[in-house]
Structures are given as structure tokens and as C-alpha cells.
Amino acid sequence: MYLIICSLLFLLSACSFTSGAESAAGSGATPGYDPLIIAHRGASDLEPEHTFASYDRAVKDKADYIEIDLRETKDGELIAMHDEDVNRTTDGEGFVGELTLDYIESLDAGGGQKVPTLRDIVSHYKNKVKYYIETRSNADGKITMEDQLLQILTENKIDDDNVIIQSFDEASLLKIHERNPDVQLVRLLRKKEIQELTTERLNEISTFAFAIGTYAGSTDKDLVSMARDNGLDIHTYYYDDEKELAREMFQLKVDGTFTNNPKFARETMNPSK
Ligand code: G3P
Ligand code: CA
């Protein structure tokens, strides 16, 4: 009798272990699923965005890529900054395109950090990190960053495999593709473009880009399938709503995700780790 009770208890504990493992898998842990973790403006939840502190933290927390938004100063230097002006992220004022590099370098970008140039970042990390760089047109709608960007990468001997360039501006991506077809490109899509997306359009994008970048709130199962059916990966970004939407994106198995906190992204992707 004692032996029978012990056997029953053993079987019960084995069953409960199995159902625990299954439940972890159901909540997001997926063996073999390893999307790109892109540190959005660095680990920008934890350190001032687009500074060496935020990039160092992203590297420490094992992001696959550091994201760099580019802006061009009045004297033509490419700096890491998202906004068209310095007001939100520094103690200075004014539009980047109307300010000199000397002035911008005198500003505090938070916690004593400085605004780095692209040259500073790339010459510091070289091929020890992967770069996910965003280009955009200037205030006059002209595309002016591409040659200098490629030149900085070349001067620093950055492997093409360590670079992804993204843009909402297709002309910018086409210019880069023409200069160097080996650079991996991502076409960012606005909400309206997603709503009007067709197979023909995705086919066209796939001639120069390997992926589309979409806002998570506009991304669903159908969009992911449509991208895949047309040979494109899909990377998703957030607007201060990463915590609400990240799990859903991982369940959709997107190929890459922007995150303000790479450690959070990995824990959300695979809560059992
Ligand atoms: O690059 C995708 C994502 O970064 C777009 O959002 O932060 O540049 O406005 P953001
Ligand atoms: Ca960006």
C-alpha cells in the first residue's frame, strides 16, 4: 500500500512539472525564436537617449543592434539625435540644422553626457557592435546624409554585415543601395502606407530592402504573413507603449523588435529565462 501511494505521488509530481513547462511555453518562451533586439536610441529607458551611456548599457545588456537616428548640423556633421531640435534632449535650444557642431557639443544631453557624432560612435565601437541607423531627409526635404554616412562606415572599416540602414524616405534607401548594394536596408512604413499595402508594393520594396519596419500598434498576423509571403522580414517599433505591445509582437514572431530596454525585451520574449 505504501509503495502504491508513493508511486501515485511521484506520477502526480511529474504531471505537474510537465504542465508547468507547457504553460511557460504558452506564455511566450519559444525555443528557436530569436528575433533581433534593437536598442532604440540605446537603452534609452535607463540612460539618456543617443548618448554613450545609453549605448554602453545596450551593449552590456546584450542588444543585437544599437539604433542611431541621424540629424545633420548646420556645418554638415552627422550627429545622433532623434528630434529636429535639441530642446527636449539637451539643455540647449534650436534646430539642429541651424546649429554648429561646436555649439551642440557644448550641451548637456543628460547626466553630463554629450551629444555624440556618428563618427564618434563608429570610431569608438568599430566592429564590436552592430549598427541600426536611421536616415531622413533634411528640413528642405532633400536627402543629404547618405554619402557621408557610407564614408564614415568605410573609413572605420565597418563590415557590411554589422550595419542595417532604415528609413521612411525611400529615395534615401535607393541612393544607399545604388552606392553599396551589400548594405542591408529596412523600409519603414507609415500607418497610411500599411493600410494601402499591396503584394506589388512589397515586391517592389523587396528589390532593395530585406525587411519592413512597422509600428507595433499597426502590426497584426496578416501583415506579418504578407511580409513573409513577399520575402520580407518585419521589425516593429513602439511609441512609449512597448510594455503593452511587446508580448503580442513576440507571439506574432516578428523578426526584430526595437526596445528602450534590451533586458526587458529578452525577459518578455522568454519569461522562463
Ligand atoms: O526606427 C524605427 C523607430 O525608431 C521609429 O521611431 O523613434 O525614430 O520615431 P522613432
Ligand atoms: Ca529611429
Side-chain angles (χ1 to χ4, degrees), residues 163-183:
V163 179
I164 291 175
I165 298 175
Q166 56 171 339
S167 193
F168 286 104
D169 287 302
E170 192 153 313
S172 172
L173 296 179
L174 290 173
K175 186 168 172 182
I176 290 163
H177 189 63
E178 189 186 290
R179 301 282 197 273
N180 181 356
D182 294 330
V183 177

Side-chain angles (χ1 to χ4, degrees), residues 40-41 67 69 82 132 134 136 166 168 188 237-239 258:
H40 182 237
R41 311 179 194 178
E67 194 227 5
D69 286 292
H82 177 269
Y132 202 116
E134 181 168 353
R136 41 170 50 91
Q166 56 171 339
F168 286 104
L188 297 170
Y237 59 88
Y238 305 90
Y239 293 126
F258 288 82

Side-chain angles (χ1 to χ4, degrees), residues 4-260:
I4 292 169
I5 289 169
C6 281
S7 303
L8 278 171
L9 283 173
F10 174 77
L11 280 171
L12 274 172
S13 77
C15 283
S16 104
F17 174 77
T18 304
S19 75
E22 280 168 357
S23 134
S27 67
T30 310
Y33 174 56
D34 191 20
L36 301 182
I37 301 295
I38 306 145
H40 182 237
R41 311 179 194 178
S44 53
D45 246 2
L46 309 173
E47 299 289 347
E49 69 183 56
H50 286 316
T51 64
F52 273 110
S54 70
Y55 291 133
D56 283 347
R57 182 60 189 256
V59 174
K60 179 169 172 271
D61 288 348
K62 299 188 169 39
D64 294 305
Y65 283 81
I66 55 169
E67 194 227 5
I68 305 168
D69 286 292
L70 292 182
R71 292 276 175 188
E72 197 171 357
T73 63
K74 183 180 177 186
D75 40 355
E77 194 72 31
L78 297 178
I79 61 164
M81 186 164 291
H82 177 269
D83 297 1
E84 62 181 349
D85 61 51
V86 300
N87 305 5
R88 180 181 60 86
T89 55
T90 74
D91 57 352
E93 257 185 44
F95 290 102
V96 176
E98 297 172 2
L99 301 172
T100 62
L101 181 63
D102 267 1
Y103 171 75
I104 292 173
E105 285 187 329
S106 74
L107 303 176
D108 187 335
Q113 293 287 307
K114 298 290 174 199
V115 175
T117 63
L118 176 67
R119 211 178 284 277
D120 292 336
I121 298 168
V122 169
S123 63
H124 176 74
Y125 293 113
K126 299 282 186 183
N127 281 298
K128 290 192 208 113
V129 305
K130 294 187 176 194
Y131 305 91
Y132 202 116
I133 301 170
E134 181 168 353
T135 60
R136 41 170 50 91
S137 49
N138 68 14
D140 301 324
K142 298 213 170 70
I143 53 164
T144 57
M145 299 176 165
E146 295 69 21
D147 286 330
Q148 191 185 166
L149 160 59
L150 292 175
Q151 192 188 342
I152 290 169
L153 296 173
T154 303
E155 280 170 9
N156 286 281
K157 299 185 170 52
I158 306 301
D159 298 340
D160 289 334
D161 287 350
N162 288 341
V163 179
I164 291 175
I165 298 175
Q166 56 171 339
S167 193
F168 286 104
D169 287 302
E170 192 153 313
S172 172
L173 296 179
L174 290 173
K175 186 168 172 182
I176 290 163
H177 189 63
E178 189 186 290
R179 301 282 197 273
N180 181 356
D182 294 330
V183 177
Q184 306 172 87
L185 303 177
V186 175
R187 174 63 158 87
L188 297 170
L189 295 174
R190 296 185 177 83
K191 192 173 178 184
K192 189 158 186 295
E193 290 176 296
I194 294 172
Q195 286 163 350
E196 294 170 355
L197 209 52
T198 61
T199 290
E200 290 70 34
R201 182 73 191 110
L202 284 170
N203 257 317
E204 198 178 358
I205 291 171
S206 72
T207 61
F208 61 88
F210 81 100
I212 54 172
T214 58
Y215 166 51
S218 301
T219 303
D220 60 13
K221 197 162 154 269
D222 291 343
L223 181 62
V224 174
S225 303
M226 207 173 161
R228 297 262 165 71
D229 291 348
N230 288 280
L232 287 161
D233 284 2
I234 183 163
H235 299 172
T236 50
Y237 59 88
Y238 305 90
Y239 293 126
D240 292 329
D241 46 13
E242 180 184 348
K243 291 197 168 60
E244 292 78 57
L245 296 175
R247 191 177 298 278
E248 193 187 327
M249 292 303 105
F250 291 132
Q251 283 165 352
L252 291 176
K253 305 280 187 294
V254 296
D255 302 285
T257 179
F258 288 82
T259 178
N260 294 339

